[in-house]
Amino acid sequence: MDIIHLLPDSVANQIAAGEVIQRPASCLKELVENSLDAGATRIQVIVRDAGRTLLQVIDDGSGMSEMDARLAFERHATSKIREAQDLFSLRTMGFRGEALASICAVAQVEMTTRREEDETGTLLEIHGSNVVRQEPCSCPIGTNIKVSNLFFNVPVRRKFLKSDQTELRNLLNEFYHIVLVYPKVAFTFVHNDEILLELPIGTEKQRIEAVFGNPKKNVYTSAFVDINTETELVSIRGFVIKPEAATRKAEQYFFVNGRYMRHPYFLKAVQTAYSGMLTNDYQPSFFIYFTINPEAIDVNIHPTKTEIKFADEQTIFQILMASVREALGKFTLAPQIDFDTQGSIDIPAPQNNPVSRPHLTVDPNYNPFHARSSYTQQQPVANWESLYADLPTKAKNVIYPDQLEEPAEVELLRPEEVETCSLWQYAGKYIIVPTAKGLLLINQHRAHAAVLYQQFLVQIAQTQGSMQQLLFPEVITLPPDEMVLLAQLLPDLRAIGFELEQLSPDSYSVLGHPSQLEAQSPIPVLQHIMQQVRERGADTQQEWREQIATSLAETAAVPYGRSLTTEEMRDMVLHLVELKNHRRMADGKIIMSLLNDEEINKRFS
Ligand code: ADP
Ligand code: MG
């Protein structure tokens, strides 16, 4: 008996759909790209329930003939290439002729479309690859595609979707990738009847402002400088943030020939150009547009991949880095941050340097241990670790290299010893403890951060954060995807002591913050939390909590350069050694290190 048979188209399409359409965001991308390929100047996106229930794209593009409308949903039906050779001169976004076939295989699709030259348009309804209706209709020029109940016939896929908030963020991010390269096309994005973005036709800069800033104020883009480099190989244009305006939360966008791309290697080039100009973990924001001969890049990659291969990446790396450096006017000394010098450090900018130097202020009077020690005001929670016993925490999953070298039972310092030992501070950075085994060196900032991290985790889980009202509420303005993210994090942020109130569709007012932050502005911490959650793709509540605790601990921990009293040091070290993991941070950074007898004696032999 023969056992091989051809799969029906509907099944083959469903399988192919698994590759092209993974989530609502990929469906949106395909639909909007089609509208752009059809020459639309105005594109409306209407979404319901983060795309689960409805994803609709309305354009004023070329429209389709009756015949084309039907053909468009067949696999490998495309108007964009005819022969393999065409692949190398592609100027359109789509070319595989897979998207519509895939979408209609896994959803209920209704489309109306009309060309300018036609009196009547075509209405087509397809459910799971089966045409259920095709008839003439009256409709405006252009195409209107409604994709309902995505994955209605693929329950596994449907179940695989993340929370509405996460899927909505994915949709918005996908949308940003497109709208940022098409400022000459007007877009709107509506979610559950609420207009999240309204983007009129304008310049690239105006588009960036409309998405991330506020077109009425133009504050966002005024923090950027232009880059512009033309070479035979590549043209690089765009905007890079002035170093002093960088924050922990960065918008980093590369585009090549009108297409968004991720490119870790080129990211490195930009970061290198900023080296020495950014403090701490600040990241540069940038919007960089490459134009290159299509033959020098590989476009025939998987449709959902955003990595693109260039023929001559090393040369482009150099050109990009030089271009960013030039824009930053960075041919002078980078500021040195010296924590031994207290007070204000202001490195004067040389004449005709277009970039002003970052201004760093260190408040010599600031003391986190004022009155009561900030980590002792909380009642210690008995058995807090049991709270997390069955939750996989990062800290527990990390293998600590030094624990491999020295077995865990070799304890460097026992809590009883801490009660009586001597403690010295060295260089405003280390706590030195003489022990029976040698001199123990403890990094004061990391030690405190590790202690605070555990306390914050417990406080979030138990909604026990202590809140301090802000004298002057601060306002945080966010693009739509981050508004969604913040809403997602809100319960945990409140649990730890943030008091936030939505002010407008794109802003929150911060009325209070965790008391451990003391006089520090809560905005950078909130931005850091969001940036980290985004970067790490944290998608569970436990991961969010860990991130909130990490960012807060990092900010609230005593900085280098702060002098500590013996009591403060003892208190800190005591709390530290009580932690299960007190030798290294969750990210592997060393907290304490022993200079043993042998090493010391060697110096005198
Ligand atoms: P591809 O974009 O790779 O060609 P698609 O499946 O996305 O494949 O679309 C198939 C064809 O349907 C396109 O080549 C185009 O001719 C037509 N089409 C799709 N969407 C639109 C639209 N919004 N306006 C006009 N034509 C469209
Ligand atoms: Mg397409």
Side-chain angles (χ1 to χ4, degrees), residues 555-599:
T555 312
V558 43
Y560 300 125
R562 173 81 35 77
S563 55
L564 302 172
T565 66
T566 310
E567 279 328 294
E568 288 166 350
M569 289 191 277
R570 198 179 306 282
D571 204 16
M572 189 191 292
V573 175
L574 198 56
H575 279 82
L576 178 68
V577 296
E578 279 167 357
L579 296 181
K580 198 157 161 203
N581 301 313
H582 56 258
R583 312 246 317 241
R584 279 179 190 260
M585 315 274 285
D587 62 5
K589 288 198 189 119
I590 294 171
I591 299 171
M592 53 169 74
S593 173
L594 187 76
L595 190 59
N596 64 27
D597 257 7
E598 200 183 327
E599 283 168 283

Side-chain angles (χ1 to χ4, degrees), residues 63-65 69 111-115 120-122 137 139-140 142-144:
M64 286 174 257
S65 69
M111 175 176 87
T112 59
T113 184
R114 180 165 76 88
R115 300 182 301 178
T120 50
T122 305
C137 72
C139 61
T143 303
N144 181 339

Side-chain angles (χ1 to χ4, degrees), residues 344-364:
S344 171
I345 308 163
D346 196 6
I347 293 108
Q351 295 289 302
N352 74 31
N353 184 336
V355 183
S356 55
R357 292 275 155 223
H359 178 93
L360 308 164
T361 338
V362 180
D363 176 2

Side-chain angles (χ1 to χ4, degrees), residues 100-269:
L100 289 185
S102 301
I103 293 168
C104 80
V106 293
Q108 295 155 346
V109 178
E110 189 187 311
M111 175 176 87
T112 59
T113 184
R114 180 165 76 88
R115 300 182 301 178
E116 196 176 2
E117 60 262 47
D118 298 331
E119 287 269 300
T120 50
T122 305
L123 182 152
L124 194 64
E125 211 179 321
I126 303 180
H127 292 185
S129 296
N130 298 313
V131 179
V132 296
R133 192 151 69 117
Q134 175 162 17
E135 60 199 40
C137 72
S138 93
C139 61
I141 296 170
T143 303
N144 181 339
I145 297 192
K146 249 190 208 174
V147 176
S148 305
N149 305 320
L150 191 62
F151 303 132
F152 78 102
N153 53 355
V154 201
V156 188
R157 281 263 155 195
R158 221 178 150 81
K159 234 166 86 184
F160 175 76
L161 292 179
K162 306 254 169 81
S163 69
D164 269 16
Q165 283 148 329
T166 302
E167 293 299 344
L168 178 58
R169 280 201 287 130
N170 289 332
L171 282 168
L172 283 163
N173 279 319
E174 202 65 71
F175 191 66
Y176 295 168
H177 296 166
I178 299 172
V179 301
L180 289 171
V181 260
Y182 285 91
K184 299 291 176 229
V185 177
F187 291 92
T188 46
F189 189 109
V190 177
H191 182 245
N192 292 348
D193 298 323
E194 190 188 341
I195 300 176
L196 296 188
L197 281 164
E198 173 96 70
L199 307 170
I201 291 173
T203 62
E204 271 158 359
K205 222 171 186 165
Q206 288 167 332
R207 180 54 54 88
I208 293 169
E209 189 69 50
V211 176
F212 298 104
N214 181 339
K216 284 187 208 112
K217 297 194 203 129
N218 284 330
V219 194
Y220 186 76
T221 45
S222 63
F224 285 75
V225 287
D226 291 25
I227 64 165
N228 208 332
T229 300
E230 293 280 342
T231 68
E232 259 175 40
L233 176 65
V234 65
S235 131
I236 303 175
R237 289 176 314 101
F239 316 98
V240 296
I241 199 157
K242 296 175 191 165
E244 73 268 27
T247 59
R248 283 167 159 177
K249 184 197 81 168
E251 303 296 343
Q252 303 183 320
Y253 290 91
F254 285 127
F255 304 96
V256 58
N257 295 352
R259 208 181 256 276
Y260 170 80
M261 69 163 175
R262 269 174 39 78
H263 209 295
Y265 183 59
F266 291 169
L267 172 62
K268 192 93 204 125

